[in-house]
């Protein structure tokens, strides 16, 4: 039932290996594909010679630009139609062969001739070419209200700093994969994607075929975090092209190294932030300038400065996003896009201000609470941030916070820090079909996909709840374009979009049954047998949110305890207590799990994750998961998650997104705790040993209890 | 990018392995946890793999005055073997600080000692690297150098050796037994490794086709010995050492009579710090002494921009290691 802590209904299938992921589909006669990758950083492809590759035993076909030229031009086909190399490692062709080894061997034998052009390998190599994009994510790139410049001059306190965040890669456990085949004029595509319908649309467009002739299937996803979308499409389309020409099913799976370059990244940011306060700690002005990287073939800008526009009450705010084009891979949204780097800057600056003003960091935020969205000057649909602060602070024990840099536990200096998090609540059009089977069981269908976060389970819960049947009687079908169209999985919106659609469908089903004369105390099973022996079905639909006269956002408060080794400066997060308000909570177990997963991603971004680019060649180095560090089990702190249930009457269904929230705010909460532990402010991510070492006094005998024992 | 095809066979016995291992393009494979990574990245291109995993060289036991650990003993078995835990817990400590449980279940002692550097340029397809191809240049020297060496590097290569186990073994004066075309020989573990010099592509003094059969650790080293291993890293587990220290001291009548200070992750091989060792001998095991010895030990280490913090970090790690030994905590 809704609100119940139901476990994932597909969990047993997954842990026993019976859940079939896209890459596990094995049609007869399947070929394997491999990508030929550019060895230059920037330039034109002037010749491709595959004569040596063709002699590889098992070789079947090679496709490249010429073979894709008949595809319709679009951003999804540009990289496979136009022989231009924008970044090192960009695919310039694809080989297909009987075995994976043969395909890769052949790929290594394809000779490519280039005319190289000068390249830009890092944003600081082309700062003078920075430009302001019209849009940052879904919002206008620049904003201005009041007169922040004047307000800063008159402010009691101004905290002005530069904050920097590194390039991160998404790295879901499951790599990108496609297995596809043609059946006459129709194509079947099993692929690991956050958008089966979006993928269908792009294929139909590129190949100029009716959408109904394209079937895209993705029943299970091994994670996505934002990278299983548009940047995968070019390489998938080359595979489809090869499959059509050879008449054989083909499978392409990216290697881990390729996932560093081909499917997007969290862009690095350089943020100049100035926040001004009056003597009572009220914000009088914010100026937030963001510089970020984008590629030479695409434009993407995170909504990094959005938090400065609306998280707090402030009369004078100016924000600006600028981009620099480099010959590096294309950035795309990664879990908590914009709010993760943006809150790192803003919430770090607030901590500094609290210290300088002598106001408790929680109290400072309470004083600046925005009772409505000051940017759009509209009310919130709901905003329980004040309650989040209170609940999380209580559970954490914040009132006992000691003075800075005083607490020691063995070899650890201990610090406490906190920060606010937020994320916009979105909704997309969504259709859900509910079928009552002759045996009284229920089948629910929706053409969205489950990223692994529990979509199967919450949809089953919604329907079981509405129809008053046990969860075990509900079967859910997702991840197939033969099902009614559902939303893409991104922006924490799937559940919020499904809920109203599922409600409509179950209401319609009940109405039909009533019309057919279902008795008041009759069970569904009895009723269906009596009045609709073939079963009956109904559909419901939800629309996208328009958000014109109301602003919908999720909020949360995150508190952390961090230990810093007093001598060696190793940093470990010990405890995280957080309260999140996300509208109606449909399944507390899955919701907590989403928050914990989000927080872990944020811990990684704060302390470990960094995609390293060689500055002279622009190539990513250490492109493996031994060198690209993400948190492991031993890094896990103790998590205490509080869910603040909200009754949001504006939102249909009252559901807000969950997935992004934990991945923002945590960065500043940790940085602030590190400052509390050590007295050092680090204003870039990741924060590592070398950032703290020289600021930590080498301990003298007896200075620390554990060392003098 | 990925590896190209190779032939694979199991060695029948040591003689067979040695006879075939010297052929051009031939390589031994044990657990494969390092070699196959390099193969996938296109950085190792064997044409013939000779599997030595099943040669039965996995025994752990006492041989006269020495503890003998077979070359194909798995790291997980080494870490929990009663002889190792009793007599040389330093080895178990270093092994348990290595890799992950899954990898230790596959990885062998011989493979661990001969694993190659983690220098990201060496491990990334297409990057200039003298260790991969002599004369192609060193990407790390002017590039990302957080992982670069403090000691023993040359202008050709600044890579470090990543093994934790090797650091502990050098601190215990271990030797390795090697079989080759010219018979069996023994070599001190410190002499197994060589500095980059003109041939950064050659990590060791092993001749082509020479097979490590076992590692021998003097048991006498354990008598009255105090030792510990400290590994510094960004995440709490499953990461190579940013740097590490193995220290062994023996105390007689209140003064230090034997000292070994060996550090890992900062040189092309496990690196002894003789200046620091000398300042410990004849002294009381006190923090003041440790601080002086640690300062002397790291003196003159010439850092690069991205790894200069490691000089101070190493100094502190030395003090931490010695203090931990002395206080038993
Ligand atoms: C993600 C990851 C993290 C890791 N973290 C750590 C860590 O923290 N600390 C650490 O010390 N190590 C770490 N390792 C390295 C790991 O310990 C080594 O990969 C492993 O010990 C190698 O053993 P193997 O048997 O798999 O060697 P293989 O990969 O089979 O061989 C490695 C090399 O040794 C040669 N070889 C193997 N056996 C012999 C022999 N008997 N005689 C001569 N030559 C031989 C092979 O030809 C090859 O060149 C990590 C590895 C991975 C993948
Ligand atoms: S340090 Fe050595 S291994 Fe690293 S790039 Fe330079 S030559 Fe290659």
């Amino acid at each position: 039932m809704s609100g119940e802590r139901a476990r994932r209904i597909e969990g047993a299938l997954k842990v026993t290996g019976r859940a079939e992921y896209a890459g596990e589909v094995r049609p007869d006669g399947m070929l394997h594909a491999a990508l030929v990758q550019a060895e230059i950083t920037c330039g034109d492809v002037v010749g491709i010679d595959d004569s040596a590759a063709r002699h590889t035993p098992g070789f079947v076909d090679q496709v490249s630009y010429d073979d894709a030229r008949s595809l319709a031009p679009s951003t999804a086909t540009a990289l496979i139609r136009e022989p231009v190399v924008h970044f090192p490692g960009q695919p310039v062709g694809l080989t297909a062969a009987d075995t994976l080894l043969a395909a890769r061997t052949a790929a290594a034998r394809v000779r490519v001739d280039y005319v190289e052009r000068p390249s830009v390998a890092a944003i600081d190599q082309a700062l003078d070419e920075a430009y302001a994009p019209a849009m940052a994510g879904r919002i206008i790139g620049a904003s201005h209200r009041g007169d922040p410049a004047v307000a800063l001059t008159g402010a009691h306190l101004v905290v002005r700093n530069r904050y920097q965040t590194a390039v991160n890669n998404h790295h879901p456990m499951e790599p990108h994969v496609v297995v596809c085949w043609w059946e006459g004029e129709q194509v079947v595509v099993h692929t690991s994607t956050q958008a089966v319908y979006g993928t269908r649309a792009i294929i139909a467009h590129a190949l100029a075929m009716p959408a109904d002739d394209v079937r895209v299937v993705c029943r299970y996803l091994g994670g996505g975090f934002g990278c299983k979308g548009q940047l995968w499409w070019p390489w998938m389309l080359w595979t489809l092209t090869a499959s059509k020409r050879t008449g054989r099913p083909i499978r392409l799976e990216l290697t881990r190294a390729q996932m560093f370059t081909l499917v997007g990244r969290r862009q690095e940011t350089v943020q100049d932030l100035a926040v001004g306060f009056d003597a009572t700690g009220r914000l009088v002005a914010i100026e937030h300038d963001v510089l970020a990287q984008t590629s030479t073939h695409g434009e993407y800008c995170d909504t990094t400065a959005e938090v400065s526009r609306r998280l707090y009450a402030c009369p004078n705010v100016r924000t600006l996003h600028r981009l620099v084009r480099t010959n590096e891979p294309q950035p795309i949204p990664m879990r908590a896009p914009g709010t993760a780097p943006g809150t790192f800057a803003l919430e770090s600056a607030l901590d500094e201000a609290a210290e300088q003003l002598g106001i408790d960091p929680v109290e400072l935020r309470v004083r600046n609470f925005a009772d409505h969205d000051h940017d759009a000057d509209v009310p919130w649909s709901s905003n329980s941030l004040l309650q989040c602060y209170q609940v999380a602070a209580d559970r954490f024990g914040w009132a006992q916070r000691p003075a800075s840099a005083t607490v020691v536990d063995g070899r650890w200096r201990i610090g406490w820090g906190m920060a606010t998090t937020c994320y916009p609540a979105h909704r997309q059009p969504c259709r859900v079909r509910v079928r009552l089977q002759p045996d009284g069981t229920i089948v629910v269908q929706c053409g969205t996909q489950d990223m692994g976060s529990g979509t199967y389970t919450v949809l089953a819960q919604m329907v079981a709840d509405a129809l008053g049947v046990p969860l075990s009687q509900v079967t859910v079908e997702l991840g197939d374009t033969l099902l009614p169209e559902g939303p893409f999985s991104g922006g924490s919106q799937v559940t919020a979009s499904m809920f109203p659609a599922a409600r409509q469908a179950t209401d319609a089903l009940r109405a039909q049954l009533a019309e057919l004369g279902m008795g008041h105390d009759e069970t569904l099973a009895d009723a269906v047998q009596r009045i609709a022996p073939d079963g009956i079905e109904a559909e419901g639909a939800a629309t996208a949110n328009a958000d014109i006269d109301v602003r919908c956002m999720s909020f949360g408060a995150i508190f952390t305890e961090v230990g810093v080794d007093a001598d060696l400066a190793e940093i470990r997060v010990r405890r995280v207590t957080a309260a999140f308000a996300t509208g109606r909570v449909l399944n507390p177990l899955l919701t907590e799990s989403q928050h914990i997963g989000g927080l872990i991603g944020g811990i990684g971004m704060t302390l470990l994750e960094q995609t390293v680019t060689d500055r002279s060649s622009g190539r990513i180095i250490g492109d493996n998961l031994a060198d690209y560090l993400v948190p492991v089990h031993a890094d896990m702190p103790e998590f205490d998650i509080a869910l603040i249930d909200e009754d949001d009457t504006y939102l249909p269904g009252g559901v807000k997104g969950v997935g992004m929230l934990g991945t923002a705010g945590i960065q500043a909460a940790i940085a602030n705790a590190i400052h509390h532990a050590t007295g050092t402010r680090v204003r870039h991510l990741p924060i590592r040993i070398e950032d703290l070492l020289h600021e930590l006094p080498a301990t003298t005998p007896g200075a620390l209890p554990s060392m003098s024992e | 990018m990925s590896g190209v095809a190779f032939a694979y066979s199991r060695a029948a016995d040591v003689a067979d392995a040695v006879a075939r291992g010297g052929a051009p393009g031939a390589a031994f494979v044990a657990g494969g946890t390092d070699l196959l990574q390099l193969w996938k990245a296109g950085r190792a291109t064997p044409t013939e793999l000779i599997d030595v995993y099943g040669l039965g060289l996995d025994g752990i036991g006492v041989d006269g005055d020495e503890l003998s650990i077979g070359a194909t003993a798995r790291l997980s078995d080494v870490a929990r073997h009663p002889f190792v835990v009793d007599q040389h817990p330093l080895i178990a400590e270093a092994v348990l600080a290595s890799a992950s449980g899954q990898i230790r279940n596959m990885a062998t002692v011989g493979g661990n000692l001969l694993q190659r550097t983690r220098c990201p340029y060496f491990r990334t397809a297409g990057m200039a690297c003298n260790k991969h191809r002599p004369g192609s240049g060193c990407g790390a020297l002017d590039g990302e150098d957080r992982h670069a060496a403090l000691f023993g590097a040359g202008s050709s290569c600044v890579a470090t050796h990543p093994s934790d186990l090797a650091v502990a073994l050098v601190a215990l004066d271990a030797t390795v037994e090697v079989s080759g075309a010219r018979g069996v020989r023994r070599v001190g573990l410190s002499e197994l490794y060589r500095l980059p010099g003109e041939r950064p592509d050659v990590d060791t003094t092993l001749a082509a086709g020479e097979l490590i059969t076992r590692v021998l650790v003097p048991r006498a080293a354990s008598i009255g010995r105090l030792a510990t291993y400290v590994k510094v890293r960004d995440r709490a587990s499953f990461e190579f050492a940013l740097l590490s220290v193995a220290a062994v001291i023996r105390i007689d009548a209140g003064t230090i009579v034997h000292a070994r200070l060996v550090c890992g992750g900062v040189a092309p091989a496990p690196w002894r710090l003789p200046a620091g060792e000398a300042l410990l001998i004849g002294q009381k095991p006190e923090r003041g002494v440790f601080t002086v010895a640690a300062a002397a030990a790291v003196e003159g280490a010439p850092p690069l921009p991205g790894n200069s913090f490691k000089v101070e970090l190493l100094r502190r790690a030395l003090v931490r290691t010695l203090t931990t030994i002395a206080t038993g905590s």
Side-chain angles (χ1 to χ4, degrees), chain A residues 565 567 570 572 614 622 630 635 690 696, chain B residues 121 124 146 233-236 316 320:
Chain A
D565 186 296
D567 286 316
E570 286 176 319
R572 305 285 183 257
D614 175 54
V630 298
D635 294 295
E690 54 265 50
L696 286 174
Chain B
Y121 291 86
T124 305
R146 185 178 194 242
R233 46 184 161 179
D234 301 295
R235 71 180 172 192
R316 292 179 184 213
R320 164 68 55 80

PDB file of all heavy atoms in Angstrom, chain A residues 565 567 570 572 614 622 630 635 690 696, chain B residues 121 124 146 233-236 316 320:
ATOM      1  N   ASP A 565      42.053  13.203  10.289  1.00  0.00           N
ATOM      2  CA  ASP A 565      43.203  12.689  11.019  1.00  0.00           C
ATOM      3  C   ASP A 565      44.106  13.852  11.405  1.00  0.00           C
ATOM      4  O   ASP A 565      44.537  14.635  10.552  1.00  0.00           O
ATOM      5  CB  ASP A 565      43.968  11.682  10.163  1.00  0.00           C
ATOM      6  CG  ASP A 565      45.091  11.015  10.928  1.00  0.00           C
ATOM      7  OD1 ASP A 565      46.045  11.711  11.344  1.00  0.00           O
ATOM      8  OD2 ASP A 565      45.012   9.790  11.114  1.00  0.00           O
ATOM      9  N   ASP A 567      47.111  14.286  12.210  1.00  0.00           N
ATOM     10  CA  ASP A 567      48.446  14.411  11.616  1.00  0.00           C
ATOM     11  C   ASP A 567      48.414  14.219  10.104  1.00  0.00           C
ATOM     12  O   ASP A 567      49.078  14.924   9.370  1.00  0.00           O
ATOM     13  CB  ASP A 567      49.372  13.314  12.166  1.00  0.00           C
ATOM     14  CG  ASP A 567      49.783  13.597  13.578  1.00  0.00           C
ATOM     15  OD1 ASP A 567      50.116  14.756  13.867  1.00  0.00           O
ATOM     16  OD2 ASP A 567      49.757  12.657  14.395  1.00  0.00           O
ATOM     17  N   GLU A 570      43.803  12.609   6.671  1.00  0.00           N
ATOM     18  CA  GLU A 570      42.776  11.781   6.021  1.00  0.00           C
ATOM     19  C   GLU A 570      41.405  12.276   6.498  1.00  0.00           C
ATOM     20  O   GLU A 570      41.247  12.626   7.672  1.00  0.00           O
ATOM     21  CB  GLU A 570      42.940  10.309   6.405  1.00  0.00           C
ATOM     22  CG  GLU A 570      44.115   9.637   5.724  1.00  0.00           C
ATOM     23  CD  GLU A 570      44.311   8.204   6.204  1.00  0.00           C
ATOM     24  OE1 GLU A 570      44.168   7.954   7.425  1.00  0.00           O
ATOM     25  OE2 GLU A 570      44.614   7.343   5.385  1.00  0.00           O
ATOM     26  N   ARG A 572      37.295  11.528   6.841  1.00  0.00           N
ATOM     27  CA  ARG A 572      36.249  10.510   6.821  1.00  0.00           C
ATOM     28  C   ARG A 572      34.956  11.100   7.374  1.00  0.00           C
ATOM     29  O   ARG A 572      34.962  11.734   8.420  1.00  0.00           O
ATOM     30  CB  ARG A 572      36.643   9.307   7.691  1.00  0.00           C
ATOM     31  CG  ARG A 572      37.988   8.661   7.342  1.00  0.00           C
ATOM     32  CD  ARG A 572      37.953   7.817   6.069  1.00  0.00           C
ATOM     33  NE  ARG A 572      39.248   7.171   5.836  1.00  0.00           N
ATOM     34  CZ  ARG A 572      40.148   7.585   4.936  1.00  0.00           C
ATOM     35  NH1 ARG A 572      39.898   8.625   4.157  1.00  0.00           N
ATOM     36  NH2 ARG A 572      41.293   6.957   4.793  1.00  0.00           N
ATOM     37  N   ASP A 614      44.663  15.302 -18.935  1.00  0.00           N
ATOM     38  CA  ASP A 614      46.021  15.745 -19.206  1.00  0.00           C
ATOM     39  C   ASP A 614      45.949  17.073 -19.945  1.00  0.00           C
ATOM     40  O   ASP A 614      45.315  17.180 -20.994  1.00  0.00           O
ATOM     41  CB  ASP A 614      46.745  14.699 -20.053  1.00  0.00           C
ATOM     42  CG  ASP A 614      48.116  15.180 -20.459  1.00  0.00           C
ATOM     43  OD1 ASP A 614      48.890  15.555 -19.566  1.00  0.00           O
ATOM     44  OD2 ASP A 614      48.406  15.194 -21.677  1.00  0.00           O
ATOM     45  N   GLY A 622      43.805   7.853 -16.278  1.00  0.00           N
ATOM     46  CA  GLY A 622      43.277   7.085 -15.149  1.00  0.00           C
ATOM     47  C   GLY A 622      41.812   6.735 -15.394  1.00  0.00           C
ATOM     48  O   GLY A 622      40.991   6.813 -14.485  1.00  0.00           O
ATOM     49  N   VAL A 630      35.318   6.386  -6.051  1.00  0.00           N
ATOM     50  CA  VAL A 630      33.979   6.648  -5.519  1.00  0.00           C
ATOM     51  C   VAL A 630      33.948   6.002  -4.126  1.00  0.00           C
ATOM     52  O   VAL A 630      34.758   5.143  -3.838  1.00  0.00           O
ATOM     53  CB  VAL A 630      32.866   6.048  -6.414  1.00  0.00           C
ATOM     54  CG1 VAL A 630      32.888   6.685  -7.800  1.00  0.00           C
ATOM     55  CG2 VAL A 630      33.020   4.539  -6.537  1.00  0.00           C
ATOM     56  N   ASP A 635      33.733   3.584   3.585  1.00  0.00           N
ATOM     57  CA  ASP A 635      33.565   5.035   3.696  1.00  0.00           C
ATOM     58  C   ASP A 635      32.184   5.418   4.226  1.00  0.00           C
ATOM     59  O   ASP A 635      31.912   6.595   4.426  1.00  0.00           O
ATOM     60  CB  ASP A 635      33.750   5.690   2.316  1.00  0.00           C
ATOM     61  CG  ASP A 635      35.164   5.553   1.814  1.00  0.00           C
ATOM     62  OD1 ASP A 635      36.060   6.128   2.447  1.00  0.00           O
ATOM     63  OD2 ASP A 635      35.379   4.867   0.805  1.00  0.00           O
ATOM     64  N   GLU A 690      45.976  16.904   0.747  1.00  0.00           N
ATOM     65  CA  GLU A 690      46.921  18.002   0.543  1.00  0.00           C
ATOM     66  C   GLU A 690      46.305  19.371   0.805  1.00  0.00           C
ATOM     67  O   GLU A 690      47.020  20.352   0.992  1.00  0.00           O
ATOM     68  CB  GLU A 690      47.525  17.954  -0.861  1.00  0.00           C
ATOM     69  CG  GLU A 690      46.531  17.905  -2.013  1.00  0.00           C
ATOM     70  CD  GLU A 690      46.263  16.477  -2.477  1.00  0.00           C
ATOM     71  OE1 GLU A 690      45.979  15.630  -1.594  1.00  0.00           O
ATOM     72  OE2 GLU A 690      46.320  16.214  -3.689  1.00  0.00           O
ATOM     73  N   LEU A 696      47.274  21.858   9.239  1.00  0.00           N
ATOM     74  CA  LEU A 696      47.168  21.141  10.515  1.00  0.00           C
ATOM     75  C   LEU A 696      48.509  21.207  11.201  1.00  0.00           C
ATOM     76  O   LEU A 696      49.509  20.780  10.648  1.00  0.00           O
ATOM     77  CB  LEU A 696      46.830  19.673  10.267  1.00  0.00           C
ATOM     78  CG  LEU A 696      45.413  19.329   9.842  1.00  0.00           C
ATOM     79  CD1 LEU A 696      45.344  17.839   9.512  1.00  0.00           C
ATOM     80  CD2 LEU A 696      44.423  19.668  10.941  1.00  0.00           C
TER      81      LEU A 696
ATOM     82  N   TYR B 121      49.304   7.710 -16.632  1.00  0.00           N
ATOM     83  CA  TYR B 121      49.736   7.805 -18.039  1.00  0.00           C
ATOM     84  C   TYR B 121      50.145   6.430 -18.554  1.00  0.00           C
ATOM     85  O   TYR B 121      49.892   6.079 -19.701  1.00  0.00           O
ATOM     86  CB  TYR B 121      50.909   8.779 -18.178  1.00  0.00           C
ATOM     87  CG  TYR B 121      50.510  10.208 -17.932  1.00  0.00           C
ATOM     88  CD1 TYR B 121      50.481  10.730 -16.645  1.00  0.00           C
ATOM     89  CD2 TYR B 121      50.134  11.034 -18.990  1.00  0.00           C
ATOM     90  CE1 TYR B 121      50.098  12.040 -16.412  1.00  0.00           C
ATOM     91  CE2 TYR B 121      49.749  12.341 -18.770  1.00  0.00           C
ATOM     92  CZ  TYR B 121      49.735  12.843 -17.475  1.00  0.00           C
ATOM     93  OH  TYR B 121      49.343  14.130 -17.257  1.00  0.00           O
ATOM     94  N   THR B 124      46.869   4.459 -19.351  1.00  0.00           N
ATOM     95  CA  THR B 124      45.846   4.975 -20.248  1.00  0.00           C
ATOM     96  C   THR B 124      46.307   4.857 -21.687  1.00  0.00           C
ATOM     97  O   THR B 124      47.378   5.367 -22.042  1.00  0.00           O
ATOM     98  CB  THR B 124      45.528   6.445 -19.908  1.00  0.00           C
ATOM     99  OG1 THR B 124      45.168   6.521 -18.531  1.00  0.00           O
ATOM    100  CG2 THR B 124      44.374   6.960 -20.760  1.00  0.00           C
ATOM    101  N   ARG B 146      50.522  13.922  -8.967  1.00  0.00           N
ATOM    102  CA  ARG B 146      50.199  13.635  -7.564  1.00  0.00           C
ATOM    103  C   ARG B 146      50.780  12.287  -7.144  1.00  0.00           C
ATOM    104  O   ARG B 146      51.171  12.087  -6.001  1.00  0.00           O
ATOM    105  CB  ARG B 146      48.680  13.631  -7.385  1.00  0.00           C
ATOM    106  CG  ARG B 146      48.230  13.472  -5.938  1.00  0.00           C
ATOM    107  CD  ARG B 146      46.718  13.535  -5.831  1.00  0.00           C
ATOM    108  NE  ARG B 146      46.285  13.723  -4.469  1.00  0.00           N
ATOM    109  CZ  ARG B 146      45.535  12.848  -3.795  1.00  0.00           C
ATOM    110  NH1 ARG B 146      45.146  11.740  -4.368  1.00  0.00           N
ATOM    111  NH2 ARG B 146      45.178  13.095  -2.555  1.00  0.00           N
ATOM    112  N   ARG B 233      45.574   7.085   2.598  1.00  0.00           N
ATOM    113  CA  ARG B 233      44.836   7.113   1.323  1.00  0.00           C
ATOM    114  C   ARG B 233      43.595   7.988   1.455  1.00  0.00           C
ATOM    115  O   ARG B 233      43.157   8.297   2.538  1.00  0.00           O
ATOM    116  CB  ARG B 233      44.482   5.706   0.879  1.00  0.00           C
ATOM    117  CG  ARG B 233      43.916   4.832   1.986  1.00  0.00           C
ATOM    118  CD  ARG B 233      43.683   3.425   1.468  1.00  0.00           C
ATOM    119  NE  ARG B 233      43.569   2.458   2.556  1.00  0.00           N
ATOM    120  CZ  ARG B 233      43.356   1.173   2.367  1.00  0.00           C
ATOM    121  NH1 ARG B 233      43.244   0.690   1.164  1.00  0.00           N
ATOM    122  NH2 ARG B 233      43.263   0.344   3.383  1.00  0.00           N
ATOM    123  N   ASP B 234      43.043   8.333   0.296  1.00  0.00           N
ATOM    124  CA  ASP B 234      41.896   9.239   0.274  1.00  0.00           C
ATOM    125  C   ASP B 234      40.626   8.553   0.748  1.00  0.00           C
ATOM    126  O   ASP B 234      39.816   9.156   1.429  1.00  0.00           O
ATOM    127  CB  ASP B 234      41.663   9.766  -1.151  1.00  0.00           C
ATOM    128  CG  ASP B 234      42.879  10.491  -1.686  1.00  0.00           C
ATOM    129  OD1 ASP B 234      43.218  11.542  -1.131  1.00  0.00           O
ATOM    130  OD2 ASP B 234      43.502  10.001  -2.644  1.00  0.00           O
ATOM    131  N   ARG B 235      40.431   7.314   0.321  1.00  0.00           N
ATOM    132  CA  ARG B 235      39.229   6.637   0.817  1.00  0.00           C
ATOM    133  C   ARG B 235      39.636   5.539   1.792  1.00  0.00           C
ATOM    134  O   ARG B 235      40.787   5.124   1.839  1.00  0.00           O
ATOM    135  CB  ARG B 235      38.320   6.144  -0.308  1.00  0.00           C
ATOM    136  CG  ARG B 235      38.811   4.988  -1.096  1.00  0.00           C
ATOM    137  CD  ARG B 235      37.786   4.606  -2.180  1.00  0.00           C
ATOM    138  NE  ARG B 235      38.340   3.589  -3.067  1.00  0.00           N
ATOM    139  CZ  ARG B 235      37.792   3.233  -4.228  1.00  0.00           C
ATOM    140  NH1 ARG B 235      36.690   3.791  -4.650  1.00  0.00           N
ATOM    141  NH2 ARG B 235      38.358   2.303  -4.970  1.00  0.00           N
ATOM    142  N   ALA B 236      38.645   5.068   2.542  1.00  0.00           N
ATOM    143  CA  ALA B 236      38.972   4.247   3.699  1.00  0.00           C
ATOM    144  C   ALA B 236      39.454   2.853   3.333  1.00  0.00           C
ATOM    145  O   ALA B 236      40.043   2.162   4.155  1.00  0.00           O
ATOM    146  CB  ALA B 236      37.750   4.165   4.615  1.00  0.00           C
ATOM    147  N   ARG B 316      55.237  12.836   8.651  1.00  0.00           N
ATOM    148  CA  ARG B 316      54.231  12.602   9.695  1.00  0.00           C
ATOM    149  C   ARG B 316      53.848  11.129   9.791  1.00  0.00           C
ATOM    150  O   ARG B 316      53.593  10.608  10.877  1.00  0.00           O
ATOM    151  CB  ARG B 316      52.981  13.434   9.402  1.00  0.00           C
ATOM    152  CG  ARG B 316      53.225  14.922   9.548  1.00  0.00           C
ATOM    153  CD  ARG B 316      51.970  15.686   9.223  1.00  0.00           C
ATOM    154  NE  ARG B 316      52.207  17.124   9.271  1.00  0.00           N
ATOM    155  CZ  ARG B 316      51.279  18.001   9.655  1.00  0.00           C
ATOM    156  NH1 ARG B 316      50.077  17.583   9.987  1.00  0.00           N
ATOM    157  NH2 ARG B 316      51.554  19.278   9.684  1.00  0.00           N
ATOM    158  N   ARG B 320      53.936   8.770  12.982  1.00  0.00           N
ATOM    159  CA  ARG B 320      52.745   8.007  13.380  1.00  0.00           C
ATOM    160  C   ARG B 320      53.059   6.523  13.515  1.00  0.00           C
ATOM    161  O   ARG B 320      52.677   5.867  14.485  1.00  0.00           O
ATOM    162  CB  ARG B 320      51.640   8.231  12.339  1.00  0.00           C
ATOM    163  CG  ARG B 320      50.466   7.248  12.372  1.00  0.00           C
ATOM    164  CD  ARG B 320      49.579   7.368  13.608  1.00  0.00           C
ATOM    165  NE  ARG B 320      49.054   8.680  13.820  1.00  0.00           N
ATOM    166  CZ  ARG B 320      47.994   9.208  13.197  1.00  0.00           C
ATOM    167  NH1 ARG B 320      47.354   8.486  12.300  1.00  0.00           N
ATOM    168  NH2 ARG B 320      47.581  10.418  13.469  1.00  0.00           N
TER     169      ARG B 320
END
